[in-house]
mmCIF file of all heavy atoms in Angstrom:
data_model
loop_
_atom_site.group_PDB
_atom_site.id
_atom_site.type_symbol
_atom_site.label_atom_id
_atom_site.label_comp_id
_atom_site.label_asym_id
_atom_site.label_seq_id
_atom_site.Cartn_x
_atom_site.Cartn_y
_atom_site.Cartn_z
ATOM 1 N N THR N 380 1.199 22.133 34.515
ATOM 2 C CA THR N 380 1.343 20.909 35.306
ATOM 3 C C THR N 380 0.032 20.141 35.364
ATOM 4 O O THR N 380 0.009 18.904 35.227
ATOM 5 C CB THR N 380 1.828 21.256 36.727
ATOM 6 O OG1 THR N 380 3.127 21.847 36.640
ATOM 7 C CG2 THR N 380 1.893 20.018 37.608
ATOM 8 N N VAL N 381 -1.077 20.833 35.576
ATOM 9 C CA VAL N 381 -2.372 20.164 35.648
ATOM 10 C C VAL N 381 -2.669 19.420 34.351
ATOM 11 O O VAL N 381 -3.096 18.255 34.357
ATOM 12 C CB VAL N 381 -3.490 21.170 35.963
ATOM 13 C CG1 VAL N 381 -4.873 20.563 35.692
ATOM 14 C CG2 VAL N 381 -3.399 21.627 37.418
ATOM 15 N N HIS N 382 -2.439 20.048 33.208
ATOM 16 C CA HIS N 382 -2.714 19.399 31.931
ATOM 17 C C HIS N 382 -1.813 18.181 31.734
ATOM 18 O O HIS N 382 -2.250 17.153 31.186
ATOM 19 C CB HIS N 382 -2.536 20.391 30.790
ATOM 20 C CG HIS N 382 -3.689 21.354 30.674
ATOM 21 N ND1 HIS N 382 -3.794 22.276 29.653
ATOM 22 C CD2 HIS N 382 -4.794 21.532 31.438
ATOM 23 C CE1 HIS N 382 -4.912 22.976 29.808
ATOM 24 N NE2 HIS N 382 -5.527 22.547 30.882
ATOM 25 N N HIS N 383 -0.557 18.273 32.184
ATOM 26 C CA HIS N 383 0.337 17.108 32.105
ATOM 27 C C HIS N 383 -0.212 15.961 32.955
ATOM 28 O O HIS N 383 -0.273 14.819 32.502
ATOM 29 C CB HIS N 383 1.745 17.496 32.574
ATOM 30 C CG HIS N 383 2.758 16.410 32.367
ATOM 31 N ND1 HIS N 383 3.976 16.641 31.785
ATOM 32 C CD2 HIS N 383 2.749 15.082 32.663
ATOM 33 C CE1 HIS N 383 4.667 15.507 31.729
ATOM 34 N NE2 HIS N 383 3.934 14.549 32.272
ATOM 35 N N LEU N 384 -0.625 16.283 34.179
ATOM 36 C CA LEU N 384 -1.137 15.241 35.070
ATOM 37 C C LEU N 384 -2.397 14.585 34.505
ATOM 38 O O LEU N 384 -2.572 13.364 34.587
ATOM 39 C CB LEU N 384 -1.437 15.825 36.452
ATOM 40 C CG LEU N 384 -0.245 16.377 37.234
ATOM 41 C CD1 LEU N 384 -0.700 16.968 38.556
ATOM 42 C CD2 LEU N 384 0.800 15.286 37.461
ATOM 43 N N ALA N 385 -3.270 15.392 33.936
ATOM 44 C CA ALA N 385 -4.516 14.848 33.395
ATOM 45 C C ALA N 385 -4.252 13.880 32.245
ATOM 46 O O ALA N 385 -5.077 13.008 31.972
ATOM 47 C CB ALA N 385 -5.420 15.983 32.934
ATOM 48 N N GLY N 386 -3.087 14.024 31.591
ATOM 49 C CA GLY N 386 -2.747 13.132 30.489
ATOM 50 C C GLY N 386 -2.187 11.788 30.916
ATOM 51 O O GLY N 386 -1.917 10.928 30.065
ATOM 52 N N LEU N 387 -2.014 11.584 32.223
ATOM 53 C CA LEU N 387 -1.425 10.332 32.714
ATOM 54 C C LEU N 387 -2.468 9.259 33.009
ATOM 55 O O LEU N 387 -2.124 8.141 33.363
ATOM 56 C CB LEU N 387 -0.583 10.598 33.966
ATOM 57 C CG LEU N 387 0.597 11.562 33.780
ATOM 58 C CD1 LEU N 387 1.343 11.759 35.096
ATOM 59 C CD2 LEU N 387 1.549 11.055 32.699
ATOM 60 N N GLY N 388 -3.751 9.626 32.907
ATOM 61 C CA GLY N 388 -4.801 8.627 33.005
ATOM 62 C C GLY N 388 -5.063 8.071 34.384
ATOM 63 O O GLY N 388 -5.610 6.959 34.510
ATOM 64 N N ALA N 389 -4.701 8.788 35.430
ATOM 65 C CA ALA N 389 -4.919 8.277 36.792
ATOM 66 C C ALA N 389 -6.402 8.027 37.041
ATOM 67 O O ALA N 389 -7.258 8.814 36.625
ATOM 68 C CB ALA N 389 -4.382 9.270 37.818
ATOM 69 N N ARG N 390 -6.701 6.956 37.766
ATOM 70 C CA ARG N 390 -8.113 6.687 38.071
ATOM 71 C C ARG N 390 -8.633 7.629 39.146
ATOM 72 O O ARG N 390 -9.817 7.935 39.185
ATOM 73 C CB ARG N 390 -8.322 5.223 38.468
ATOM 74 C CG ARG N 390 -7.729 4.801 39.794
ATOM 75 C CD ARG N 390 -8.171 3.392 40.175
ATOM 76 N NE ARG N 390 -7.589 2.979 41.444
ATOM 77 C CZ ARG N 390 -8.107 3.273 42.639
ATOM 78 N NH1 ARG N 390 -9.220 3.985 42.733
ATOM 79 N NH2 ARG N 390 -7.512 2.854 43.748
ATOM 80 N N ARG N 391 -7.727 8.109 40.008
ATOM 81 C CA ARG N 391 -8.111 9.128 40.979
ATOM 82 C C ARG N 391 -6.922 10.043 41.277
ATOM 83 O O ARG N 391 -5.770 9.607 41.275
ATOM 84 C CB ARG N 391 -8.620 8.512 42.282
ATOM 85 C CG ARG N 391 -10.034 7.964 42.145
ATOM 86 C CD ARG N 391 -10.714 7.741 43.453
ATOM 87 N NE ARG N 391 -12.021 7.134 43.220
ATOM 88 C CZ ARG N 391 -12.741 6.542 44.158
ATOM 89 N NH1 ARG N 391 -12.302 6.464 45.402
ATOM 90 N NH2 ARG N 391 -13.926 6.025 43.862
ATOM 91 N N ILE N 392 -7.254 11.296 41.554
ATOM 92 C CA ILE N 392 -6.250 12.305 41.908
ATOM 93 C C ILE N 392 -6.702 12.982 43.194
ATOM 94 O O ILE N 392 -7.865 13.363 43.320
ATOM 95 C CB ILE N 392 -6.111 13.359 40.790
ATOM 96 C CG1 ILE N 392 -5.618 12.708 39.492
ATOM 97 C CG2 ILE N 392 -5.159 14.486 41.221
ATOM 98 C CD1 ILE N 392 -5.628 13.650 38.290
ATOM 99 N N ALA N 393 -5.782 13.110 44.154
ATOM 100 C CA ALA N 393 -6.064 13.839 45.391
ATOM 101 C C ALA N 393 -5.309 15.157 45.351
ATOM 102 O O ALA N 393 -4.088 15.170 45.198
ATOM 103 C CB ALA N 393 -5.643 13.035 46.609
#
Side-chain angles (χ1 to χ4, degrees):
T380 297
V381 166
H382 284 185
H383 187 132
L384 296 178
L387 300 179
R390 69 172 179 85
R391 284 198 184 164
I392 297 172

